[in-house]
Amino acid sequence: MAEHTAIINAAGELRRALERGAEEAAVHAAADTLAGLLHPHTSAEEVGLFSVMRREEQFTEHIADLCSEHTELDERLAAVRAGDHAAYPAFEHLLRQHIDREDNGLFPAAAIALDGPDWAEVEQTTPPAA
């Protein structure tokens, strides 16, 4: 969840760069910083926690939705970086909604549903934070 805070803070930096009409190089730098936090984080979730949780039928659809959102977030961020600055509000809305679904839905459910061996597997398969 600490990574989510860093991602939201980086998204705020990108929003501020766009709002002040920063040069494209500054927008690219802010977008690259955000992508540098977002991509490793979403990849780690998918190969670690998500891969363990999707084995339980009750979580399969929710995990699939979150993985789809990861892809959509990547695409929307790439569009903003490529110059579609008007796409930023929809990106930020999806990002915040996605993080809320994880922090207040999936992660508490994981704390209840997973046991010791499951958590050991999550730890073993999750790449270390960058």
Side-chain angles (χ1 to χ4, degrees), residues 49-101:
L49 180 63
F50 288 11
S51 68
V52 172
M53 288 192 77
R54 76 170 20 115
R55 290 186 211 139
E56 298 292 326
E57 188 176 331
Q58 64 183 333
F59 300 118
T60 303
E61 185 177 331
H62 191 69
I63 296 293
D65 289 344
L66 292 171
C67 289
S68 267
E69 288 176 4
H70 287 170
T71 300
E72 187 175 352
L73 285 165
D74 288 344
E75 291 168 356
R76 288 181 183 219
L77 180 56
V80 172
R81 189 189 187 285
D84 184 5
H85 298 178
Y88 181 80
F91 164 80
E92 184 176 19
H93 177 76
L94 177 62
L95 177 65
R96 288 178 179 278
Q97 180 182 18
H98 176 83
I99 287 173
D100 181 64
R101 289 180 68 204

Side-chain angles (χ1 to χ4, degrees), residues 1-13 34 36-39 41-42 91 95 99:
M1 288 165 89
E3 290 176 16
H4 284 166
T5 300
I7 289 166
I8 289 296
N9 288 341
E13 289 298 320
L34 177 53
L37 295 168
L38 187 61
H39 297 276
H41 173 78
T42 58
F91 164 80
L95 177 65
I99 287 173

Side-chain angles (χ1 to χ4, degrees), residues 18-38:
L18 294 167
E19 288 172 348
R20 70 175 179 268
E23 292 184 15
E24 207 59 29
V27 170
H28 286 176
D32 291 346
T33 296
L34 177 53
L37 295 168
L38 187 61

